Amino acid sequence: MAWPASSTTGCSLTSNGNAVVSLPVQAWSGPFDPSLSRTATTALEAGRVVILPDLAFRTRVEEEKLLSPDLLNGRRKNISFDPATGRLGGSAAQADLLAAMLRRFAADAETLLRGLLTPYTAELRVGRTSFRPAEIAGRTYAPRQDDRRLHVDAFPSRPTGGDRILRLFTNLSPTGQPREWRIGGDFEPVAARFLPDLPSPSPSRARLYALLGLTKGISSPYDQIMLALHNRMKLDTEYQASAPVTAWAFPPGTTWMGFTDQVPHAALAGHMAAEQTFYLPVRAMQDPDRSPLRVLERLTERVLA
Ligand code: SIN
Ligand code: FE
């Protein structure tokens, strides 16, 4: 794909310093100190992972059986839940119990984010919830599905039109396993590195995919670039081997979040996590110029969504 030669224009968005920022949050509901809110949104928009080491999602006694590998039989990687309808994606043993637990988790996650990330409160949209019981290490995955490879998130069937993907995770392991991540550097250099090799966005393909029901709505050029970037990052063995990363282990009983469309991440090991996805329009950010949409628009000198 032929992009303009100039890569960085305008302000510098680099220098993360640390990949993670830790906040002393002990409860899912506030009130939260306004300085926590500022620190959290600034860190998230800078592409850092915000960790809440003292915030656990407490399961109930009757839910302990959901955290057994025997019950889930190792067959399923993720089980999705739609908080809007209360429906689990696909069948699962103990479906009612699981749905109730995920509904509570989704509600806690929403309360936390609306309370803590006050600049986003009005604009945040709640997406899917997922339960991730299976041990990640030692499984076999198709390369593009392999989240052990560094990537930024882009959903093949759910284009965001430029909206941010903000995800919150909690580790529920009952046997002490941490969830092990690698966290990559800034988005802009990664985008600049891969952009010249990505296929050009195709409006006709986007319309066809929507017609065929492969995507929910028509993918914008932004969505097509992000999905191609996600795939190309995972498939590039040189990048995987040489990218600067911070290794981080999230112990059970801790919670963390990040703009996963921006921060390169890989999950290497762990089991029994829950995750909640949120969407945020770029205009709700404190600094929209840090969004992948604006970064890609600067790099390509095109309007992408
Ligand atoms: C991912 O978003 O790539 C996976 C993260 C995880 O399951 O810990
Ligand atoms: Fe991911």
Side-chain angles (χ1 to χ4, degrees), residues 78 132 136 146-149 151 153 167 169 179-181 234 256 260 265-269 273 275:
N78 292 347
R132 302 171 175 225
I136 298 166
D146 190 351
D147 289 339
R148 295 172 304 188
R149 300 175 187 221
H151 64 281
D153 285 346
R167 298 183 117 173
F169 297 83
R179 202 165 188 87
E180 293 174 30
W181 274 32
K234 282 186 172 174
W256 63 100
T260 56
H265 60 283
L268 273 65
E275 171 271 337

Side-chain angles (χ1 to χ4, degrees), residues 80-125:
S80 88
F81 174 75
D82 184 349
T85 62
R87 252 183 247 126
L88 281 180
S91 63
Q94 303 283 355
D96 291 345
L97 195 60
L98 184 56
M101 182 178 84
L102 293 178
R103 187 179 303 118
R104 215 171 65 251
F105 170 69
D108 277 353
E110 182 179 0
T111 302
L112 176 76
L113 263 63
R114 291 204 199 281
L116 180 64
L117 308 179
T118 44
Y120 305 161
T121 305
E123 299 264 32
L124 207 56
R125 293 200 317 282

Side-chain angles (χ1 to χ4, degrees), residues 172-235:
L172 301 172
S173 171
T175 50
Q177 265 109 309
R179 202 165 188 87
E180 293 174 30
W181 274 32
R182 296 164 75 213
I183 302 166
D186 288 344
F187 177 82
E188 181 151 353
V190 176
R193 168 183 179 146
F194 288 104
L195 257 180
D197 298 329
L198 301 183
S200 296
S202 158
S204 55
R205 195 179 59 219
R207 280 194 301 275
L208 179 66
Y209 280 19
L211 265 175
L212 295 173
L214 297 174
T215 55
K216 197 166 177 275
I218 296 175
S219 284
S220 64
Y222 167 79
D223 290 291
Q224 293 187 311
I225 292 173
M226 287 297 286
L227 190 55
L229 177 62
H230 163 275
N231 294 342
R232 195 55 66 97
M233 287 171 80
K234 282 186 172 174
L235 295 173

